[in-house]
Amino acid sequence: MPRIGKFPAFGKRFFRRARKLLGACRFEHFWRLVVALASMHGKRSLQRICGLLGQRRTRQAVAYFLEQAHLEAPELLKLKALETLQQLGYRPGEPLFLLLDDTQKRKRGKRMAAVTKLFLHAEKVYGRGHVILCAAFVYREVVIPYAVKLWASQAYCQQSQKEPKEKDRISFCKLTELAGAMVREATLPAGAKPVVLFDAYYLCPAVLTACQERGWPFVSRAKSNRNFAPDGRPKDKRKLGKYGQSVLSRSGRWQKVSGKRHKLAERIGWLKRVGRVKVVFSQRPGEKRFVALVTNRTSWGSGRVLSNYLCRWGIEVLFKMSKQYLGLGDYQLLGYQGVVSYLHLVLIASLLLTHLALSGTGAQAQSNGHGPLRLESIPKLQEKLRALLWQDVLTTLQKGSRTQLAARKLKEVIHY
């Protein structure tokens, strides 16, 4: 793994606007950390990051930059997300999806900010950890992270009010209220009207009101215990779990959606705490279980509702890849602002890899169209990034009269 020295030539286009926003001093920290997070193997500890920077920055300097410097991380992430949409050739009126979901990360540090007791769904146990809320766009089947927030409990927010600095005082918000704020604050290209996708937890007034204010349609999964009253029978309320079984058995029809067969049935009516919606019941071949999907666009067909909701899986892939290859949960910072800055930098590193994928010859040929775009996997893109870093190192060595021989020998060994 090469040391990160001078500014790489391949990053000029990606980091161009960030340099103007941050200024020279903060930008030096920023681009080095993003490239390090995107290119490293294994766990992203502060010590390993500083080693990759060639000891140009100490652990204390990196931690101070993340926790204390006025890093416009949310604005930078939004800026790079919109630039990626533009690079993909987005045009107003084309299908665009806004995904909302959260992930959990177990943390055992007793002094780390915002750590609280949770039921960790992946491990099926109770433990201490963080809840990370994320919003992402999906366009042409490419997932583009757009915003991220770290949820803090009410007890921690009350305690933070005693902090001397105002930026360290955190106002308490429910997780659903944070999701609603993400919808309200979303900045999109002119003329864009995305479909908001989320799971059953976010099918609540806080998120639905935000969608209604923006005039955006949504598709969500609904829990089986929700009360539903079909049109024409306002007092005849049924649980979606039992009602869906009878509807599928009476009027379910097999359709092929996204290349797979599904048994679909639909009903229009009133869902408690939601309003008038269309409910689509979907069942896979050979399975007794089914899902109930809810949308406020009653004119949509059942196949369209299901195909839209299937795009939500992209954010699950984003979480998995970011944790496994980009160190989304490897932060070793105690302060709340430091953790938030780190999370933003990880997602910007993900966008850097997407930028490299779109800059390739094959991707450029595909990007001229407007169909689904297949990009290389994260590990392959990281190999490509490391190759570019080695090329920059060798180019620098070749320019020196005393290091030309070393550059030739390194080329023979590295085979890049």
Side-chain angles (χ1 to χ4, degrees):
M1 184 69 205
R3 297 288 187 267
I4 299 174
K6 67 174 185 177
F7 186 73
F10 64 83
K12 289 182 179 179
R13 181 181 175 186
F14 183 81
F15 290 107
R16 182 175 62 242
R17 296 182 66 182
R19 185 194 297 269
K20 297 179 181 179
L21 183 63
L22 290 175
C25 183
R26 290 181 295 168
F27 180 73
E28 286 296 316
H29 284 281
F30 170 73
W31 78 259
R32 283 190 167 89
L33 289 176
V34 171
V35 173
L37 291 170
S39 61
M40 285 179 66
H41 294 282
K43 190 173 183 180
R44 272 75 170 166
S45 64
L46 289 179
Q47 183 175 359
R48 294 191 66 229
I49 290 175
C50 292
L52 190 60
L53 300 180
Q55 303 303 326
R56 292 172 180 265
R57 302 291 186 272
T58 63
R59 291 178 56 187
Q60 291 80 5
V62 173
Y64 181 84
F65 171 72
L66 292 173
E67 293 182 350
Q68 303 296 334
H70 296 286
L71 178 62
E72 304 293 340
E75 293 301 321
L76 286 169
L77 180 57
K78 291 179 182 179
L79 176 68
K80 299 314 303 178
L82 294 176
E83 286 183 359
T84 304
L85 269 178
Q86 184 179 6
Q87 191 176 2
L88 284 166
Y90 177 76
R91 297 182 300 186
E94 291 186 319
L96 179 65
F97 301 97
L98 176 61
L99 281 54
L100 298 173
D101 203 359
D102 63 84
T103 186
Q104 299 171 326
K105 183 59 184 178
R106 190 167 194 164
K107 286 293 177 182
R108 295 179 173 86
K110 295 182 179 179
R111 296 175 58 191
M112 185 173 287
V115 174
T116 187
K117 187 176 181 181
L118 304 168
F119 180 74
L120 304 170
H121 299 287
E123 304 175 37
K124 306 297 182 184
V125 295
Y126 283 94
R128 291 173 57 80
H130 280 153
V131 178
I132 303 167
L133 177 65
C134 184
F137 295 127
V138 171
Y139 174 63
R140 300 180 63 186
E141 299 187 5
V142 177
V143 183
I144 306 168
Y146 175 77
V148 62
K149 292 187 179 183
L150 180 66
W151 178 77
S153 65
Q154 188 171 9
Y156 172 79
C157 292
Q158 291 176 351
Q159 185 180 359
S160 70
Q161 302 304 314
K162 301 177 183 178
E163 295 291 335
K165 296 182 179 179
E166 186 177 354
K167 69 181 183 65
D168 295 326
R169 300 169 192 165
I170 312 301
S171 300
F172 174 71
C173 282
K174 295 181 180 178
L175 194 58
T176 53
E177 292 174 348
L178 288 178
M182 281 185 169
V183 175
R184 289 189 181 91
E185 297 167 3
T187 303
L188 275 69
K193 287 190 176 182
V195 180
V196 187
L197 308 178
F198 42 86
D199 61 12
Y201 181 79
Y202 296 99
L203 186 62
C204 62
V207 178
L208 300 180
T209 302
C211 293
Q212 184 178 6
E213 290 175 1
R214 299 299 300 265
W216 293 346
F218 69 84
V219 180
S220 169
R221 184 173 176 173
K223 292 183 179 180
S224 59
N225 61 351
R226 298 293 292 261
N227 288 321
F228 177 74
D231 271 356
R233 291 173 287 178
K235 296 184 180 180
D236 189 11
K237 297 180 181 178
R238 296 111 180 271
K239 299 291 184 183
L240 285 178
K242 293 183 179 180
Y243 184 58
Q245 290 179 348
S246 61
V247 172
L248 282 170
S249 61
R250 290 197 313 268
S251 57
R253 297 291 182 270
W254 290 101
Q255 295 186 33
K256 205 166 187 179
V257 179
S258 300
K260 295 183 179 180
R261 295 178 70 240
H262 297 266
K263 191 176 185 181
L264 302 177
E266 60 183 55
R267 291 291 185 271
I268 297 177
W270 292 85
L271 192 66
K272 188 175 180 181
R273 300 182 65 197
V274 177
R276 191 169 186 269
V277 294
K278 171 174 281 189
V279 180
V280 175
F281 302 101
S282 173
Q283 189 176 39
R284 294 177 180 176
E287 294 185 3
K288 293 184 179 179
R289 298 179 61 184
F290 65 92
V291 295
L293 304 178
V294 176
T295 180
N296 57 344
R297 289 295 187 267
T298 57
S299 60
W300 286 357
S302 55
R304 181 177 180 180
V305 173
L306 177 59
S307 64
N308 286 347
Y309 186 76
L310 291 176
C311 294
R312 199 197 70 84
W313 184 250
I315 199 167
E316 302 289 352
V317 177
L318 173 66
F319 286 145
K320 182 178 180 180
M321 294 295 103
S322 299
K323 287 181 177 180
Q324 188 170 354
Y325 296 108
L326 298 175
L328 184 66
D330 292 346
Y331 45 87
Q332 298 175 327
L333 302 154
L334 300 181
Y336 181 89
Q337 299 298 338
V339 175
V340 172
S341 298
Y342 177 89
L343 295 175
H344 282 86
L345 292 184
V346 169
L347 296 183
I348 293 174
S350 174
L351 290 176
L352 172 61
L353 295 176
T354 303
H355 170 77
L356 293 178
L358 295 174
S359 301
T361 306
Q364 285 181 349
Q366 295 182 60
S367 62
N368 292 331
H370 293 274
L373 190 61
R374 303 296 181 182
L375 301 182
E376 294 178 290
S377 64
I378 294 290
K380 289 184 178 180
L381 292 173
Q382 287 180 315
E383 290 178 4
K384 181 178 179 180
L385 176 58
R386 287 189 282 267
L388 292 172
L389 290 173
W390 274 117
Q391 288 176 11
D392 278 359
V393 171
L394 296 177
T395 302
T396 303
L397 292 176
Q398 286 176 340
K399 293 179 179 179
S401 59
R402 297 181 180 181
T403 55
Q404 288 180 357
L405 181 59
R408 286 199 298 269
K409 290 184 177 181
L410 282 172
K411 276 188 175 181
E412 295 174 0
V413 174
I414 297 173
H415 298 293
Y416 276 126

